Amino acid sequence: MAAKHLILLGPPGAGKGTQAKRLERDRGFVQLSTGDMLRGAVASGSPLGRQAKAVMDAGKLMPDDVMIAIIAERISQPDCRKGFILDGFPRTVAQAEALDRLLSERGLALDHVIEVRVDDDMLVDRINARNAQAGAGGGRSDDTIETLRRRLQVYHEQTAPILPYYEKTGRLVTVDGMASIDEVGRDIDLVLEGVAEAG
Ligand code: AMP
């Protein structure tokens, strides 16, 4: 399959990472998770990591210019020629506009913007289940209910406005993220195969 450039959009816990990993495995596209990149920076103890830890634990967003620079550098790496799935970027309209610029400078186009839509209540249930599985003291430090609520608020205020941005240009397709992982995967496959149209 030809290299494709996709965005998976959706609130925290919607399953974007799971679906991106599946597409990476099945289709060879590279998963570009800005959250994973920031967690890598936190683990390395770099100045970026120290900034990211404070921001992530508060459930807030990193500054646009920092994130845009990270993605600009990452999509220039040779492995991205296989195609990529953006998971966690863009998260603001400014990031979405910058991404359009970055892609057009490189002669690339966005093939699909896929919204994985999930209700807030289900996300709260999922985080509770994830934490129960991880056990006491396990899991991510930004996976508490309080942080999730803050992150959901940030999603609705700052990230959801991206949806009309992509809708206007006919690039947005929405899949039902409340379905099982396999069903969501099948719906995403239909979008990639051009069966499910934007609109
Ligand atoms: P994620 O794993 O995608 O849920 O990201 C975890 C956290 O990293 C988010 O709650 C933000 O604090 C930060 N983050 C990840 N991606 C971005 C982005 N594109 N812009 C700003 N902050 C981000």
Side-chain angles (χ1 to χ4, degrees), residues 72-174:
E73 201 274 329
R74 185 64 187 91
I75 64 173
S76 305
Q77 302 293 314
D79 60 337
C80 285
R81 285 191 213 127
K82 295 186 282 191
F84 53 76
I85 311 143
L86 287 162
D87 159 17
F89 185 97
R91 255 182 160 96
T92 63
V93 172
Q95 291 181 17
E97 288 169 350
L99 178 65
D100 276 344
R101 280 196 302 277
L102 290 174
L103 291 175
S104 75
E105 280 164 17
R106 289 163 178 75
L108 301 175
L110 266 181
D111 296 284
H112 307 283
V113 180
I114 303 174
E115 178 199 7
V116 183
R117 191 177 289 169
V118 183
D119 288 352
D120 288 7
D121 287 350
M122 183 179 239
L123 296 168
V124 172
D125 292 348
R126 281 189 187 173
I127 293 281
N128 279 330
R130 207 196 266 186
N131 285 349
Q133 220 172 29
R140 282 164 42 176
S141 60
D142 62 349
D143 253 0
T144 63
I145 284 294
E146 302 75 59
T147 312
L148 173 67
R149 290 199 193 284
R150 173 75 192 144
R151 295 173 80 213
L152 285 174
Q153 190 190 344
V154 167
Y155 178 77
H156 292 299
E157 286 174 7
Q158 297 190 58
T159 306
I162 300 179
L163 298 169
Y165 175 79
Y166 287 123
E167 209 167 13
K168 268 193 293 213
T169 47
R171 290 180 286 182
L172 185 73
V173 180
T174 299

